[in-house]
């Protein structure tokens, strides 16, 4: 069991599922709102590691969806400055365990890193269901009213 510091957008369905997986595996999850955190360039860069700039971004951010901003065309400096101004651009979740940080929720990466095997057999089914879903991004948080 490890302590997982988990930066999420409060209310995001996938972030909730990701926390469920971590908790089921016996980890202690300390959740923080990514939008309210006081980020610095160094701190964000630490989570992104060697990933390409485009992978730092939340593809569901409105300005990215609309095409107003294309992460493929940004350099690291510009990308970080955009994220400091508008934290919605940061790909979620940011996860920290000890001296390592990750961005996004790639179940393979997380499982190999800290383990996602449920501690309790009754949680096996729930975890397998969640692991089979695409837990990257944030699915339709916006309810459409007709």
């Amino acid at each position: 069991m490890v302590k997982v510091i988990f930066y999420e957008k409060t209310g995001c369905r996938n972030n909730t599922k990701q926390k469920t997986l971590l908790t089921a595996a016996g980890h202690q999850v300390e959740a923080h709102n990514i939008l309210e955190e006081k980020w610095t360039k160094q701190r964000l860069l630490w989570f992104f590691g060697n990933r390409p700039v485009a992978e730092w971004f939340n593809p569901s951010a409105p300005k990215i969806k609309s095409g107003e901003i294309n992460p493929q065309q940004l350099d690291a400096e510009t990308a970080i400055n955009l994220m400091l101004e508008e934290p919605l651009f940061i790909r979620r979740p940011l996860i920290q365990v000890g001296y390592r940080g990750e961005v996004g929720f790639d179940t393979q990466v997380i499982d190999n890193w800290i383990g996602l095997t449920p501690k309790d057999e009754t949680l096996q089914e729930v975890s397998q269901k969640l692991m089979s879903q695409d837990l990257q991004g944030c699915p339709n948080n916006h309810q459409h009213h007709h």
Side-chain angles (χ1 to χ4, degrees):
M1 176 188 143
V2 297
K3 180 178 179 186
V4 179
I5 300 173
F6 190 93
Y7 296 96
E8 64 176 341
K9 179 180 168 205
T10 309
C12 169
R13 284 192 214 141
N14 268 350
N15 285 164
T16 302
K17 291 175 184 174
Q18 294 156 355
K19 287 186 296 189
T20 302
L21 269 177
L22 291 165
T23 308
H27 302 305
Q28 177 193 345
V29 178
E30 181 186 303
H32 296 271
N33 185 335
I34 202 167
L35 305 179
E36 292 173 0
E37 202 60 30
K38 299 282 177 255
W39 295 108
T40 62
K41 287 182 188 182
Q42 290 75 13
R43 212 163 144 222
L44 279 174
L45 285 169
W46 181 78
F47 281 101
F48 301 146
N50 301 328
R51 290 174 182 270
V53 171
E55 288 182 23
W56 302 357
F57 280 85
N58 166 13
S60 306
K63 287 183 183 170
I64 292 175
K65 271 187 157 165
S66 73
E68 186 180 326
I69 290 186
N70 179 352
Q72 304 286 344
Q73 297 171 338
L74 300 175
D75 59 60
E77 185 72 14
T78 308
I80 287 290
N81 287 331
L82 277 171
M83 290 174 184
L84 292 175
E85 280 169 41
E86 202 169 321
L88 262 182
F89 284 127
I90 305 169
R91 184 169 162 206
R92 302 185 299 267
L94 295 179
I95 299 173
Q96 179 182 346
V97 175
Y99 296 105
R100 178 170 167 188
E102 282 292 335
V103 57
F105 200 90
D106 180 326
T107 50
Q108 246 354 95
V109 171
I110 309 276
D111 193 26
N112 293 340
W113 175 24
I114 57 174
L116 286 174
T117 308
K119 293 287 173 243
D120 181 335
E121 283 171 25
T122 58
L123 298 169
Q124 295 266 333
E125 198 179 320
V126 175
S127 284
Q128 282 168 345
K129 225 178 249 169
L130 289 173
M131 295 265 283
S132 70
Q133 295 176 17
D134 176 15
L135 293 181
Q136 300 281 354
C138 212
N140 57 358
N141 267 355
H142 313 291
Q143 300 301 321
H144 297 289
H145 300 291
H146 297 291

